[in-house]
Amino acid sequence: MKTIVYAHPYEGSLNHGILERLTTYFAQNNQPYQVIDLYQDGFDPRFSKEELRLFSKGESPYQLVHHYQEMIQQSDELLFITPIWWYQLPAELKGFLDKVMLTNFAYRESPEWQGLLTYIHKTTVITTSTVTKDYLQTAAGDPIQKNFINRVLADLGLSPKHTNWIHLGGANTTTDSVRQAFLADLPELYLEGQD
């Protein structure tokens, strides 16, 4: 089962176009998928006092967290569709990582650090931004490959070798024809990351 984690609030956005293109492709090819739509679900990325009280135990009073964890446990593949805002992930997605990827579910610290999501065999990260992938990697601290993929996801047990990063830069300044070409090519770009 593929689980798509989608982090954009606007249905007219390029990110929503990416979501629709991939879900249509998966449906046409009889590939089961489910979508975690953080904004549509009203996911609150902020920690409450009660959540922080339970955090070190790997517990949460937030039912949506348990629902998301159940969805992830049904998965052997994760896809993230997200814009990059100010060279970082949106608050909704950062909060998802903070609140859903809890100890004893996504990782274990003792006796040594161990990522527990090793049943996820493939990860795809699809991003859009005002800047190019090269700029993100060389002038903006490499927030996606170096931080999100090679560190955060790797710490959860998701191998960087089995993670494909697809990016469209200049998303706000390019032409509609470039955006449409990107969407048309998306299944092929996705398949390039297959083992």
Side-chain angles (χ1 to χ4, degrees):
M1 171 76 77
K2 304 175 195 297
T3 295
I4 301 169
V5 182
Y6 174 63
H8 201 289
Y10 178 44
E11 291 184 355
S13 69
L14 177 58
N15 278 255
H16 194 76
I18 292 168
L19 176 66
E20 288 187 328
R21 179 72 176 107
L22 282 180
T23 54
T24 298
Y25 171 78
F26 294 150
Q28 289 173 341
N29 289 277
N30 299 312
Q31 298 180 25
Y33 70 88
Q34 55 190 352
V35 178
I36 293 173
D37 188 332
L38 297 172
Y39 284 92
Q40 187 176 56
D41 291 346
F43 180 76
D44 187 349
R46 301 168 300 173
F47 272 116
S48 67
K49 291 180 182 179
E50 180 65 8
E51 285 175 299
L52 281 175
R53 187 182 69 79
L54 296 172
F55 177 81
S56 63
K57 300 176 184 178
E59 300 173 6
S60 174
Y62 197 12
Q63 187 54 42
L64 202 50
V65 165
H66 301 294
H67 177 61
Y68 289 163
Q69 288 178 338
E70 289 169 5
M71 292 176 75
I72 291 167
Q73 287 175 324
Q74 298 166 6
S75 309
D76 58 9
E77 181 176 348
L78 282 179
L79 297 93
F80 295 89
I81 301 173
T82 180
I84 299 173
W85 291 334
W86 286 109
Y87 313 111
Q88 296 294 331
L89 300 174
E92 293 287 316
L93 185 50
K94 177 62 168 65
F96 171 85
L97 297 168
D98 291 340
K99 296 170 69 165
V100 176
M101 300 304 179
L102 295 173
T103 186
N104 299 322
F105 167 74
Y107 66 92
R108 188 177 294 125
E109 293 183 84
S110 180
E112 60 185 24
W113 188 280
Q114 179 186 6
L116 300 179
L117 301 187
T118 52
Y119 52 87
I120 305 291
H121 302 301
K122 173 179 167 52
T123 308
T124 303
V125 179
I126 305 172
T127 57
T128 61
S129 176
T130 60
V131 297
T132 65
K133 181 186 278 193
D134 181 67
Y135 187 90
L136 287 168
Q137 293 182 303
T138 60
D142 203 1
I144 303 302
Q145 185 66 53
K146 187 176 180 181
N147 188 327
F148 184 49
I149 294 173
N150 292 357
R151 191 65 287 131
V152 176
L153 297 184
D155 280 0
L156 301 177
L158 307 176
S159 169
K161 290 191 294 186
H162 302 294
T163 300
N164 183 26
W165 176 24
I166 301 167
H167 179 74
L168 179 64
N172 63 323
T173 57
T174 193
T175 63
D176 284 340
S177 61
V178 169
R179 294 185 194 96
Q180 291 305 315
F182 176 78
L183 292 175
D185 292 342
L186 197 52
E188 185 177 334
L189 295 169
Y190 164 78
L191 290 172
E192 286 177 2
Q194 301 277 14
D195 293 335

